[in-house]
Amino acid sequence: MTEKEFNNCVDLYAGRLFRFIIKNLKHEEDAKDIVQNSFEILWKHHHELLFEKARSYLFTTGYRNMVDHLRKGKRVNLVESFPENVKVQGDIPPDIGPVLQKGLERLSEMQRSLLMLKDYEGYSYEEIGEITELNASQVKVYLHRARLKMKEYLVKMENVL
Amino acid sequence: MKINMNNYEEFMLSFVDNELSEEDTGKLMQFLEQHQDLQRELRVLQATKLPSDEKIIFPDKDLLYRKEAVSPKKAFFTLRSPWVPAAAAACLALLLLFSLHPWKRQVVSNATSFNASPKREVFFPSGSPLTESLHEEKKVKQSEGIALRPAEIKKKNNPVPPSKKESNLIAKGPEAKKAGLAVMPALPDIPSSVNENKEIALNGNDLPKQLPLENTMHAGSLKKTDAPESNKYYDGHLLASDNGSTKDISVTEKIDEWRKKPGEILENIHQKGIKIGKITFAVNN
């Protein structure tokens, strides 16, 4: 991967990786640190990597950094609502919708990560398995469970509303 | 695999995940047409899909851009252009031309003939530097009440006959002894054409207390003549007189070449920009 391709990766994937991390961590500075660290590692190995593999490499690095960060217990206490300090364009709240947002927060870290990798990034089960160090079958099972959990929440909220 | 009421949910979930093959997608659509009450369940599952959220941006993207550092080797090859070898060749040609030019060779040959000895050292076996005699001379002249006049400054091309010079410059006999100075043995008269001594013309207060040693350095070895007169002159040795005192310059190298040039000025001695003396070679024939 060339320098130009690396900087192209910054344009293409920095925002997406940041979104993926911040929706798990709920902490802007920690998410920024992880994104910067991920791109730092990518830069160190950019000569060995193909541009086509860069996104997967970035998300793998970012996901593992995030899991390490969460395991260290620094940001274990996840807040219920979306943090106000997260910068969004035009100060518009996340377009996920309040019900989906709350349902997402009820998922485990793993389920939430799988769901975001699937829906935001469109990764296949195999690709998600590479990022999360799971096999494709595990990804499929975990992802289906997460989806059903979300469905139950939506149905429940629909009945309440 | 056939879709039934026990496994349709997995087909639906895989369909929502875009992981269902076309064939299985067709089967699912057929199944849902047969069971329209399950279509709502599929819509709820589809509603769990997280919508694209592009509003969250990374605020410090500029920190992530990188530029590769250019290594010196790479920079060399990057800067290298076709005219660089031509410039290098031109420089080499100029150097070659300069080194082979005739006047350059002439300068080199002259320098070689003049600077006969590659090592210029002065040895004083008696431990007394050459300049000591100059200092002594000042004391002697002052003790004798000899006034030093500017007219005594000798020019380079107008040497003084040794006899006259010695009368002015050499501290002799009882006067010197009165002054408490070491008496330098008087030199025998030497023909001026053969023995050109160092001439010292002192100008009042400009008389140096001590000349820098390098001002008195010459090829060969230089020492005060403390030996008897009979030993002062012998073939192959050069003589010089500094401040009237006789110096026996034993030339160890290039003696034959020097002998051909009696009277040649080896060095002029300057003090504060004024020539106060010179050292010449003399050969005892």
Side-chain angles (χ1 to χ4, degrees), chain A residues 32-82:
Chain A
K32 280 159 66 173
D33 287 346
I34 288 174
V35 170
Q36 287 186 24
N37 186 46
S38 300
F39 274 95
E40 184 75 28
I41 294 170
L42 177 66
W43 176 251
K44 284 181 182 173
H45 299 93
H46 75 283
H47 287 303
E48 311 153 17
L49 289 167
L50 294 173
F51 174 73
E52 292 75 21
K53 297 286 184 183
R55 184 175 72 138
S56 175
Y57 189 87
L58 273 172
F59 275 85
T60 302
T61 309
Y63 175 79
R64 291 175 187 175
N65 279 346
M66 181 183 73
V67 169
D68 289 344
H69 189 80
L70 290 169
R71 283 177 183 167
K72 286 176 185 173
K74 290 181 179 177
R75 302 290 170 189
V76 171
N77 298 323
L78 303 179
V79 293
E80 283 290 316
S81 60
F82 202 80

Side-chain angles (χ1 to χ4, degrees), chain B residues 32-98:
Chain B
L32 289 174
E33 283 185 5
Q34 293 168 4
H35 304 84
Q36 293 191 357
D37 56 319
L38 298 177
Q39 289 182 6
R40 183 178 179 274
E41 190 173 350
L42 178 62
R43 285 196 295 273
V44 175
L45 281 175
Q46 286 180 314
T48 63
K49 285 195 77 169
L50 303 175
S52 177
D53 190 3
E54 302 291 345
K55 295 184 178 67
I56 297 177
I57 59 169
F58 184 69
D60 300 324
K61 200 192 283 186
D62 289 342
L63 298 175
L64 304 179
Y65 294 117
R66 292 302 177 94
K67 189 170 185 177
E68 283 193 89
V70 180
S71 66
K73 186 177 179 182
K74 191 174 180 181
F76 173 77
F77 286 108
T78 304
L79 293 173
R80 195 176 172 185
S81 59
W83 56 265
V84 171
C91 289
L92 283 174
L94 280 173
L95 279 172
L96 194 64
L97 190 66
F98 182 76

Side-chain angles (χ1 to χ4, degrees), chain A residues 3 6-7 10-11 18-19 23 32 36 40 43 46-47 82 88-89 95-96 100 116 118-120 124-125 140 143-144 147-148 150-151 154 158, chain B residues 9-10 13-14 16-19 40-41 44-45 47-69:
Chain A
E3 171 195 315
F6 174 86
N7 290 328
V10 173
D11 291 331
F18 181 63
R19 177 182 59 191
K23 287 196 174 183
K32 280 159 66 173
Q36 287 186 24
E40 184 75 28
W43 176 251
H46 75 283
H47 287 303
F82 202 80
V88 294
Q89 283 184 337
D95 199 21
I96 190 174
L100 273 180
M116 286 193 291
K118 187 65 184 172
D119 292 348
Y120 286 151
S124 67
Y125 295 152
K140 182 179 176 181
L143 198 52
H144 285 183
R147 195 79 72 187
L148 290 173
M150 289 289 286
K151 176 194 154 194
L154 286 177
E158 189 180 37
Chain B
E9 193 175 51
E10 184 180 346
L13 288 166
S14 295
V16 172
D17 287 342
N18 292 325
E19 297 280 350
R40 183 178 179 274
E41 190 173 350
V44 175
L45 281 175
T48 63
K49 285 195 77 169
L50 303 175
S52 177
D53 190 3
E54 302 291 345
K55 295 184 178 67
I56 297 177
I57 59 169
F58 184 69
D60 300 324
K61 200 192 283 186
D62 289 342
L63 298 175
L64 304 179
Y65 294 117
R66 292 302 177 94
K67 189 170 185 177
E68 283 193 89

